[in-house]
Amino acid sequence: VIAHRLTTIQNADYIYVLDKGSVIEEGTHETLLAKEGGKYQTMIKMQQSGKTIDTQDGSVNMTKAVAEDEEQLLERVRLLSESEAIDTNRRASTSVRRKSIFLRLMKMNSPEWIFILIGCLACLLGGLRAPAFSILFAKTEFNDCKYGDLRRRVVITCGLFILTGAVFMVLNFFQFVAFGIAGAKLVSRIRSKAFGCFLRQEVAYFDRPENSSGAVCTRLSSNAAAIQDMAGSRLGVICQAFSMSIFGILLGLYYSWKLTIIIVTPSVIVMIAITIQIRLSSWLKTQSDLIYSQATTLAVEVITNMRTVKQLSMENQVSRQYSNMIDQELTLSWKPEALYAAVYGMNWAMHSLMLGLLYRRALILLENNELDMSDVVMVSAFGMFALDALKVVGMLARRIGASFSAANAIFDLFDRIPTINNGSNKGQEL
């Protein structure tokens, strides 16, 4: 150990005293201190006298220094509290007048309006797929036909099915390509703008624990990816599912409103369940992000200071702290997971329940000669396709909720006005 501070080496086994590059004394702390007139003894006395003078001078100004430190600390706390209060009020005021999140996303995606228009038209026409297949399947009759007529009808029916499949294949291609391009450009634009907003914030913003480097990196990566789930190709799947359900119910009302009412009831129940799932997923994503940001911050600090962690043998302590943070997320999510399972099971049960009630009602209508069998088959197909489409939306409900939560966090960042705005030209010119 090489040191200028004598207290650092006084417990060493053996001490060498150097002067102008040569060893002038050596020994233990006790032997060198006992040597009268030695260099080591002189340095010890000089440091002790210096400490005595510093103690006397410090005791004179101690009260004044403490008072000044307390005053500065109180002033900093007051300024920080005012800054946080202003920031909270600004966020509250912007949340009151804020537009719908989905509309704001569409506004940011407006440069790609042509792709969104093509995707929406493809979704609208793609929603006719289930009704078209249902009508072809129900209205095709092969009874009481001669062999020649039967062969001709089969060929025509096969051609119509193949043609319908080809048309909807082209529509789905344009739908996924259009929404995929629009979603990719939107996410790229959001990432760039979010990074610019982080650079615009004042330094005190990053001193807060929730805005550490790990938390900022998590937001830039996970929030943008979550928004892509809502604005990309999955948005086309959701729009097509709703279009298919709406067309199926409208055509069902046209052919037999008495049977379609039975389809509407479970469909409304499923849509309510999907809404609950989306809201719960949005809340869970917000809470999980807070935990994950803390865990990411810990991981970044540990990796950055890995040498210190190794030297102090803190591996087990750090690992335990990280595991406790992850366990918090597990404790938070098990109740929503149980609710998700119940809703998912209910979605599957609605399918069989609807068919049971539908055929029971159809039997009564057939006995009263109010309906023929082809209409029963067609309306049943409408109902099955509509519930299957809503089931797809239900499977994506968790991603939709996470997307809304991520978009909300991103727009909070966009709407935040920094206390010190280095990009603003307002203020007094000097």
Side-chain angles (χ1 to χ4, degrees):
V1 178
I2 301 175
H4 294 84
R5 191 182 298 273
L6 298 179
T7 55
T8 306
I9 60 171
Q10 66 182 4
N11 295 323
D13 297 331
Y14 207 75
I15 301 173
Y16 294 92
V17 181
L18 301 178
D19 186 20
K20 297 180 180 179
S22 59
V23 179
I24 59 174
E25 294 179 5
E26 58 180 294
T28 62
H29 173 73
E30 289 76 12
T31 56
L32 292 175
L33 193 60
K35 188 176 180 180
E36 292 292 337
K39 186 72 173 178
Y40 187 83
Q41 186 189 63
T42 304
M43 289 190 293
I44 288 289
K45 291 180 179 179
M46 289 175 62
Q47 284 196 357
Q48 289 178 349
S49 62
K51 289 181 180 179
T52 303
I53 295 173
D54 291 340
T55 303
Q56 292 175 353
D57 293 339
S59 61
V60 173
N61 299 321
M62 181 64 69
T63 304
K64 182 179 180 180
V66 169
E68 291 179 354
D69 290 341
E70 289 180 354
E71 184 178 354
Q72 292 178 359
L73 180 60
L74 291 175
E75 181 67 16
R76 290 178 182 176
V77 171
R78 184 184 64 81
L79 293 176
L80 182 59
S81 300
E82 290 180 355
S83 175
E84 291 180 348
I86 293 172
D87 184 52
T88 302
N89 293 333
R90 284 173 178 169
R91 283 184 294 178
S93 61
T94 55
S95 64
V96 170
R97 64 175 183 269
R98 185 171 51 197
K99 300 178 183 178
S100 172
I101 292 177
F102 186 76
L103 294 179
R104 293 188 70 177
L105 286 175
M106 290 298 101
K107 184 177 180 180
M108 289 190 66
N109 217 170
S110 58
E112 292 76 38
W113 67 269
I114 186 65
F115 293 101
I116 297 175
L117 180 61
I118 294 173
C120 290
L121 290 176
C123 289
L124 187 64
L125 296 176
L128 294 172
R129 176 174 59 87
F133 276 105
S134 301
I135 293 173
L136 286 176
F137 182 74
K139 293 298 182 180
T140 303
E141 296 181 359
F142 301 104
N143 296 328
D144 301 329
C145 292
K146 295 181 181 180
Y147 179 76
D149 293 337
L150 180 62
R151 182 181 180 84
R152 182 175 59 83
R153 289 188 182 185
V154 170
V155 172
I156 293 174
T157 304
C158 291
L160 289 175
F161 274 113
I162 294 173
L163 179 62
T164 305
V167 169
F168 287 112
M169 180 184 70
V170 174
L171 289 175
N172 284 331
F173 172 79
F174 282 106
Q175 169 192 320
F176 276 86
V177 169
F179 278 114
I181 294 175
K185 290 183 177 292
L186 174 63
V187 172
S188 177
R189 192 173 295 117
I190 285 176
R191 288 183 189 274
S192 300
K193 187 174 180 179
F195 187 69
C197 287
F198 278 123
L199 295 178
R200 190 165 51 90
Q201 305 303 320
E202 71 276 6
V203 177
Y205 175 82
F206 299 97
D207 293 335
R208 301 176 185 175
E210 66 271 17
N211 298 324
S212 60
S213 59
V216 169
C217 293
T218 301
R219 284 185 227 167
L220 284 174
S221 59
S222 63
N223 287 345
I227 292 175
Q228 190 172 11
D229 288 339
M230 183 173 63
S233 57
R234 287 190 179 89
L235 178 61
V237 175
I238 296 169
C239 292
Q240 187 179 15
F242 279 116
S243 176
M244 191 180 301
S245 300
I246 292 172
F247 278 125
I249 291 175
L250 290 178
L251 290 174
L253 291 172
Y254 174 77
Y255 282 100
S256 176
W257 66 270
K258 294 181 180 179
L259 282 182
T260 309
I261 292 298
I262 299 176
I263 301 174
V264 171
T265 303
S267 300
V268 171
I269 295 175
V270 170
M271 292 183 66
I272 293 174
I274 291 173
T275 304
I276 295 174
Q277 277 186 296
I278 292 174
R279 290 186 176 273
L280 187 59
S281 299
S282 179
W283 174 82
L284 184 61
K285 173 72 165 54
T286 303
Q287 301 300 320
S288 299
D289 282 348
L290 294 176
I291 298 174
Y292 287 143
S293 63
Q294 295 174 1
T296 306
T297 301
L298 176 63
V300 170
E301 291 179 355
V302 169
I303 293 172
T304 305
N305 303 285
M306 184 58 71
R307 294 181 181 274
T308 305
V309 173
K310 292 290 186 181
Q311 291 174 356
L312 299 178
S313 300
M314 297 178 61
E315 293 92 339
N316 294 332
Q317 180 180 352
V318 171
S319 177
R320 193 181 308 111
Q321 187 177 358
Y322 187 84
S323 299
N324 290 335
M325 291 180 180
I326 301 302
D327 290 340
Q328 292 178 8
E329 199 277 334
L330 179 62
T331 304
L332 182 69
S333 62
W334 74 267
K335 290 182 179 179
E337 290 291 344
L339 182 58
Y340 291 146
V343 173
Y344 191 70
M346 185 187 67
N347 288 341
W348 283 95
M350 283 296 169
H351 201 284
S352 300
L353 178 63
M354 182 206 68
L355 287 179
L357 296 175
L358 189 69
Y359 286 134
R360 180 70 181 89
R361 180 61 178 169
L363 177 61
I364 298 174
L365 294 177
L366 288 173
E367 289 177 348
N368 296 331
N369 294 323
E370 299 180 16
L371 199 66
D372 57 8
M373 194 61 194
S374 63
D375 291 337
V376 173
V377 174
M378 187 165 48
V379 174
S380 301
F382 289 160
M384 287 189 293
F385 280 120
L387 281 183
D388 285 338
L390 291 178
K391 194 184 298 181
V392 172
V393 179
M395 295 173 67
L396 297 175
R398 298 182 64 176
R399 291 182 176 270
I400 297 172
S403 300
F404 276 110
S405 175
N408 194 12
I410 288 291
F411 286 127
D412 281 342
L413 174 64
F414 290 170
D415 295 336
R416 186 182 187 275
I417 302 175
T419 307
I420 302 175
N421 190 356
N422 54 9
S424 176
N425 295 325
K426 296 180 180 181
Q428 182 179 2
E429 295 184 2
L430 300 178

